[in-house]
Amino acid sequence: MPKLFIPGPVEVSEKTFRAMCRPMIGHRSGDFKKLYGGIQPRLKELFGTTQPVFLSTSSAWGVMEGAVRNLVGTGKVLNCMCGAFSDKWFDVSKKCGKEAVALQVEWGQPVRGEQIREALKAGGFDAVTLIHNETSTGVMSNIEEIAAVMREFPDVCLIVDTVSSFSVVPIPMDALGIDVLLTGSQKALAMPPGLALFSASKKAMDKAATVKGSGYYFDFAEFAKNQLEDMTPSTPSISHIYALESKLEDIFTEGVAKRHARHAENNAIVHEWVRKQGLDFFAPEGFRSKSLTCIANNKGIDVAELAKKAKERGFIIDGGYGKLKGKTFRLSNMGDETPATMRELLAALDACLA
Ligand SMILES: *Cc1c(COP(=O)(O)O)cnc(C)c1O
């Protein structure tokens, strides 16, 4: 099988797959509670929170929609938009019947704190949605800058998607004052798709208690109630939770700081290659993702042909997302990749481009 270097799903290790194949247990059994409760301390440490970390059997979009349904009541939601995923969050908010306001910046640019401040000055907002690392454009917005602005609006909840940046760079939820921090399994965590992880601040939980019509499957109060007994509201994907336990073991054996450093090094190796090839970055300096690189095709490369040749050599790369197809291509350095595996990929691309 060729190896995945697309920005999600990413390559899954043998160890993680093996963990998923453990025998099933009852989701209300003592064994399950031990499994679920046992991973909480490490999850909290990774999230940088003292709040419980909830596990949702859904893709990230389940919780992205759920956060809007739980935290946006009669007020408005400000959707920060700078690429495919963040743009879609605006549509999802409207589909949930919420009064959604678009803060649109050009694809390839970050969302700036100042823009959020200006938008929130109109008043009447319940929440802001932000994608920390916009996977479609390879742009990482400055979460410290944005969190600082949000502290000027204490009545507004900050919902942050970290699907492709979680455990790549530090995102200390409580210290930053993030109200909902969410991620998915198949990107930065290098697990198969199907699980979402999230945590909610006390402010978020208090707000959720006042919002009507948030449904059942993603009801934050249901998650909190079940969490008291180390359980989930409905039968979770227990196989994914085994995989998560195994992944946490990997992360803490390596060390969280070392994991961040490895991703930075992987990313720097790709950046060096981009410069050597005379290619450009789609994202501006200072806002380039640490988990993937979105490369601007300034040399008129036949990207589809490059991807085809790379696949023949055993590497799957992404030929650009949506309207950026062919104009950009993306290389992931997330998950379990190392400087050595990144160099293997880049050597193959060199051969394809020669
Ligand atoms: C992939 C991705 C999502 C969507 O994840 P699903 O698992 O498909 O729901 C959301 N946000 C970001 C930033 C992503 O990269």
Side-chain angles (χ1 to χ4, degrees), residues 268-286:
I269 289 167
V270 178
H271 282 207
E272 196 186 312
W273 179 85
V274 170
R275 292 192 184 95
K276 194 189 73 191
Q277 282 287 344
L279 288 160
D280 280 342
F281 297 93
F282 192 61
E285 175 107 57

Side-chain angles (χ1 to χ4, degrees), residues 4-285:
L4 289 176
F5 277 93
I6 55 171
V10 306
E11 194 70 10
V12 177
S13 72
E14 278 296 316
K15 178 176 179 280
T16 302
F17 277 130
R18 270 201 308 275
M20 285 194 91
C21 290
R22 288 173 56 189
M24 240 353 86
I25 50 177
H27 68 297
R28 304 292 182 218
S29 70
D31 285 341
F32 179 81
K33 293 179 183 191
K34 222 164 89 189
L35 168 68
Y36 196 89
I39 59 176
Q40 280 294 319
R42 284 175 160 181
L43 284 175
K44 287 181 185 178
E45 188 175 334
L46 269 187
F47 271 72
T49 186
T50 57
Q51 300 297 323
V53 175
F54 304 122
L55 302 184
S56 164
T57 298
S58 65
S59 83
W61 272 115
V63 176
M64 291 164 79
E65 172 172 332
V68 168
R69 293 188 67 186
N70 275 268
L71 299 189
V72 184
T74 52
K76 296 177 283 186
V77 55
L78 181 70
N79 299 113
C80 302
M81 300 153 70
C82 65
F85 293 102
S86 47
D87 285 14
K88 188 167 151 183
W89 218 344
F90 174 63
D91 295 332
V92 169
S93 301
K94 286 188 293 188
K95 282 191 178 192
C96 292
K98 305 300 180 185
E99 194 181 332
V101 176
L103 194 179
Q104 179 83 66
V105 307
E106 199 189 327
W107 280 32
Q109 294 302 312
V111 176
R112 301 305 305 258
E114 180 56 31
Q115 296 165 327
I116 295 177
R117 179 186 288 116
E118 277 310 307
L120 289 182
K121 272 184 185 163
F125 287 92
D126 281 348
V128 172
T129 69
L130 174 77
I131 291 195
H132 175 227
N133 191 65
E134 178 46 76
T135 317
S136 63
T137 61
V139 170
M140 193 177 263
S141 289
N142 184 333
I143 187 69
E144 287 83 10
E145 172 190 285
I146 291 167
V149 167
M150 290 303 296
R151 284 193 279 276
E152 299 166 23
F153 302 90
D155 297 332
V156 186
C157 286
L158 176 60
I159 305 167
V160 184
D161 162 323
T162 65
V163 173
S164 58
S165 54
F166 184 78
S167 83
V168 172
V169 295
I171 312 165
M173 178 178 164
D174 290 357
L176 290 170
I178 293 170
D179 294 297
V180 175
L181 184 73
L182 69 97
T183 190
S185 54
Q186 80 275 28
K187 297 198 186 163
L189 286 172
M191 286 160 49
L195 193 74
L197 298 76
F198 71 105
S199 186
S201 69
K202 186 174 180 303
K203 180 170 125 190
M205 294 305 294
D206 288 347
K207 176 73 189 181
T210 71
V211 174
K212 291 194 175 63
S214 48
Y216 164 70
Y217 197 72
F218 295 106
D219 183 5
F220 285 10
E222 283 286 342
F223 276 94
K225 192 179 80 191
N226 281 277
Q227 192 89 358
L228 294 175
E229 292 187 76
D230 289 327
M231 295 194 301
T232 51
S234 56
T235 318
S237 173
I238 295 167
S239 307
H240 272 98
I241 302 177
Y242 282 138
L244 178 59
E245 184 188 40
S246 164
K247 180 52 67 185
L248 288 168
E249 201 178 276
D250 298 345
I251 292 172
F252 283 87
T253 301
E254 178 179 23
V256 177
K258 282 211 176 115
R259 181 180 174 86
H260 295 155
R262 171 167 59 79
H263 283 91
E265 195 182 344
N266 288 351
N267 192 248
I269 289 167
V270 178
H271 282 207
E272 196 186 312
W273 179 85
V274 170
R275 292 192 184 95
K276 194 189 73 191
Q277 282 287 344
L279 288 160
D280 280 342
F281 297 93
F282 192 61
E285 175 107 57

Side-chain angles (χ1 to χ4, degrees), residues 280-349:
D280 280 342
F281 297 93
F282 192 61
E285 175 107 57
F287 297 96
R288 291 176 191 151
S289 168
K290 295 286 182 205
S291 51
L292 72 133
T293 306
C294 185
I295 300 153
N297 184 12
N298 59 309
K299 287 172 67 181
I301 293 168
D302 183 340
V303 169
E305 186 62 19
L306 172 64
K308 189 167 155 264
K309 285 185 182 164
K311 189 176 176 191
E312 283 160 14
R313 287 176 181 267
F315 299 93
I316 299 193
I317 64 165
D318 171 87
Y321 196 106
K323 67 184 182 189
L324 299 177
K325 201 178 193 72
K327 296 191 183 110
T328 63
F329 59 101
R330 298 177 302 161
L331 305 177
S332 167
N333 62 261
M334 286 178 233
D336 301 329
E337 301 311 330
T338 65
T341 65
M342 294 314 298
R343 288 198 182 95
E344 280 168 20
L345 166 72
L346 299 172
L349 294 181

